[in-house]
């Protein structure tokens, strides 16, 4: 959006934890309408100072600890960022914004969330905006909590909030802890690929650019107080997706057909592993005209090609020494 909205100033607040990577923003780094601020969304003074400096009219809140396995090992950082961080952003928006202008379109707080708040589906059916919340991991509990806070600020104070709940994202530049980049990277290195349980868990895969288009649509045209489910309409078992990705890597690297499938290694299941996610996107399609445009085969091909062409990105993104040095270049002022 930075080049397409030259009259809008964009301020990116990011704490640059392990998955944050400013290389991803290189194409816009020099743009005159783009500003980077390093900081924690739960740091109230920092957030307040940014509201004072920039007089934001809009907050799009993507900042989150997002990896379920990490939340199982270290849950409290998820509570800090996802719960306290969200409440801090909501409260500082409320403090900065003029309540007399709520409901006039002067402001918008878009909270970006996940379909995991709805829990785990059986073999049939879909999540929708009216599915009761049933989070089952520390990660999804923290996102569910954040959603409740966003609705509470809308209900209690009239803050103009919209919420979107998306399915599993994939695509270029994703930190290789998530399933699809993990498969690609490990296949490139000919390492074992751990598939939890029997590989029969199902996810609904959403290409990142489709998600970005949905977010822009919801931000621009969504209705205050509403929630929109966003999904890829591309459900696959983990074993199916692993095979699709591995076959694509084989084609791209000229390996013999099916060779990399041998790298799949069944691993002990994730504790509390949600069985199936599938998002019904009919509301956002009907009311705002959005639908996912990339099919899964195209999306996987584009993703595999991107990782194969960006080995330097990969080395740097996964090298802690380099990342530490890079973070220091952007150290927050004392
Ligand atoms: O539904 C949206 C959610 O999708 C987001 O809110 C989360 O931030 C995001 O992490 C993702 O959650 P998942 O747990 O579904 O994503 P992940 O890539 O970790 O795992 C996808 C599936 O693959 C899941 O069933 C677990 C399985 N898996 C994952 C890893 C990392 C494996 O079998 N082996 C693995 O090594």
């Amino acid at each position: 959006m930075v080049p397409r909205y030259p009259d809008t100033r964009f301020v990116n607040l990011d704490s640059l934890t392990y998955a944050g990577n400013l290389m991803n923003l290189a194409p816009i780094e020099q743009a005159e309408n783009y500003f980077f601020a390093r900081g924690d969304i739960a740091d109230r003074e920092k957030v307040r100072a940014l509201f004072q400096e920039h007089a934001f009219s809009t907050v799009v809140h993507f900042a989150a600890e997002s990896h379920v396995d990490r939340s199982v090992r270290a849950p409290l950082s998820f509570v800090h960022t996802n719960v306290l961080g969200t409440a801090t952003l909501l409260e500082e928006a409320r403090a900065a914004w003029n309540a007399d202008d709520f409901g006039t379109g002067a402001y918008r707080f878009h909270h970006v969330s996940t379909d995991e708040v709805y829990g785990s589906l059986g073999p049939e059916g879909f999540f929708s905006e009216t599915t009761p919340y049933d989070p089952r991991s520390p990660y999804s509990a923290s996102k569910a909590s954040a959603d409740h806070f966003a609705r509470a600020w809308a209900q209690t104070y009239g803050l103009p909030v919209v919420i979107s709940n998306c399915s599993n994202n994939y695509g270029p530049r994703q930190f290789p802890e998530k399933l699809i980049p993990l498969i690609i990277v490990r296949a490139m290195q000919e390492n074992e690929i751990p598939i939890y349980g029997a590989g029969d868990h199902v996810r609904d895969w959403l290409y990142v650019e489709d998600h970005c288009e949905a977010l822009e649509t919801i931000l621009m045209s969504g209705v205050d107080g509403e929630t929109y489910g966003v999904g890829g309409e591309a459900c696959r078992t983990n074993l199916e997706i692993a095979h699709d990705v591995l076959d694509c890597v084989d084609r791209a690297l000229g390996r013999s057909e099916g060779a990399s499938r041998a790298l799949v290694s069944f691993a002990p299941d994730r504790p509390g592993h949600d069985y199936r996610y599938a998002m019904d996107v009919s509301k956002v399609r009907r009311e705002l005209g959005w639908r996912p445009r990339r099919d899964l085969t195209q999306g996987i091909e584009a993703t595999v090609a991107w990782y194969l062409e960006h080995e330097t990105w990969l080395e740097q993104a996964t090298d802690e020494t380099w990342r530490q040095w890079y973070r220091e270049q952007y150290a927050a002022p004392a």
Side-chain angles (χ1 to χ4, degrees), residues 137-255:
S137 73
Y139 162 68
S140 54
S142 70
K143 290 297 287 184
S145 171
D147 292 12
H148 291 324
F149 276 107
R151 288 203 181 89
W153 256 252
Q155 193 66 36
T156 307
Y157 306 113
L159 200 79
V161 170
V162 283
I163 301 177
S164 54
N165 295 83
C166 70
S167 66
N168 287 60
N169 281 221
Y170 73 102
R173 303 179 187 83
Q174 189 172 32
F175 192 75
E177 62 186 351
K178 302 284 161 61
L179 183 65
I180 288 184
L182 178 130
I183 293 171
I184 298 170
V185 172
R186 293 187 73 86
M188 284 163 71
Q189 299 160 345
E190 297 187 81
N191 280 331
E192 273 189 353
I193 290 152
I195 295 295
Y196 302 153
D200 57 350
H201 297 78
V202 175
R203 295 294 182 267
D204 175 2
W205 294 101
L206 172 64
Y207 192 64
V208 60
E209 287 178 15
D210 279 332
H211 188 200
C212 291
E213 285 170 11
L215 294 174
E216 188 175 345
T217 303
I218 293 164
L219 179 66
M220 298 302 187
S221 317
V223 175
D224 283 348
E226 290 292 321
T227 294
Y228 300 92
V230 180
E233 298 190 315
C235 294
R236 298 288 186 280
T237 67
N238 291 339
L239 196 55
E240 284 168 342
I241 203 79
H243 286 166
D244 287 352
V245 172
L246 291 169
D247 292 351
C248 186
V249 171
D250 285 346
R251 283 194 299 278
L253 293 180
R255 291 182 187 161

Side-chain angles (χ1 to χ4, degrees), residues 4-249:
R4 285 187 292 110
Y5 295 84
D7 298 331
T8 300
R9 293 192 308 139
F10 293 82
V11 179
N12 174 17
L13 171 60
D14 194 313
S15 58
L16 295 180
T17 55
Y18 74 96
N21 189 337
L22 286 168
M23 278 184 294
N24 294 342
L25 297 160
I28 54 164
E29 217 168 32
Q30 303 302 326
E32 286 184 358
N33 60 334
Y34 171 76
F35 304 86
F36 179 78
R38 184 170 175 214
D40 180 351
I41 55 166
D43 177 346
R44 202 168 170 189
E45 280 70 42
K46 175 86 189 174
V47 173
R48 179 167 299 176
L50 287 171
F51 266 97
Q52 281 164 357
E53 185 182 347
H54 296 283
F56 303 126
S57 61
T58 307
V59 174
V60 187
H61 170 33
F62 301 83
E65 291 289 341
S66 69
H67 195 51
V68 174
D69 294 328
R70 280 181 188 261
S71 86
V72 173
R73 289 196 296 271
L76 294 186
S77 59
F78 288 70
V79 177
H80 175 83
T81 299
N82 301 356
V83 183
L84 187 61
T86 300
T88 304
L89 288 179
L90 289 162
E91 179 59 358
E92 290 309 314
R94 181 174 85 88
W97 290 348
N98 182 353
D100 292 341
D101 291 335
F102 288 175
T104 65
Y107 306 115
R108 169 142 285 178
F109 191 112
H110 183 161
H111 173 59
V112 181
S113 190
T114 168
D115 62 357
E116 290 196 22
V117 297
Y118 301 120
S120 178
L121 288 167
E124 303 291 328
F126 291 89
F127 295 136
S128 78
E129 293 80 2
T130 55
T131 304
Y133 275 43
D134 184 22
R136 293 155 33 99
S137 73
Y139 162 68
S140 54
S142 70
K143 290 297 287 184
S145 171
D147 292 12
H148 291 324
F149 276 107
R151 288 203 181 89
W153 256 252
Q155 193 66 36
T156 307
Y157 306 113
L159 200 79
V161 170
V162 283
I163 301 177
S164 54
N165 295 83
C166 70
S167 66
N168 287 60
N169 281 221
Y170 73 102
R173 303 179 187 83
Q174 189 172 32
F175 192 75
E177 62 186 351
K178 302 284 161 61
L179 183 65
I180 288 184
L182 178 130
I183 293 171
I184 298 170
V185 172
R186 293 187 73 86
M188 284 163 71
Q189 299 160 345
E190 297 187 81
N191 280 331
E192 273 189 353
I193 290 152
I195 295 295
Y196 302 153
D200 57 350
H201 297 78
V202 175
R203 295 294 182 267
D204 175 2
W205 294 101
L206 172 64
Y207 192 64
V208 60
E209 287 178 15
D210 279 332
H211 188 200
C212 291
E213 285 170 11
L215 294 174
E216 188 175 345
T217 303
I218 293 164
L219 179 66
M220 298 302 187
S221 317
V223 175
D224 283 348
E226 290 292 321
T227 294
Y228 300 92
V230 180
E233 298 190 315
C235 294
R236 298 288 186 280
T237 67
N238 291 339
L239 196 55
E240 284 168 342
I241 203 79
H243 286 166
D244 287 352
V245 172
L246 291 169
D247 292 351
C248 186
V249 171

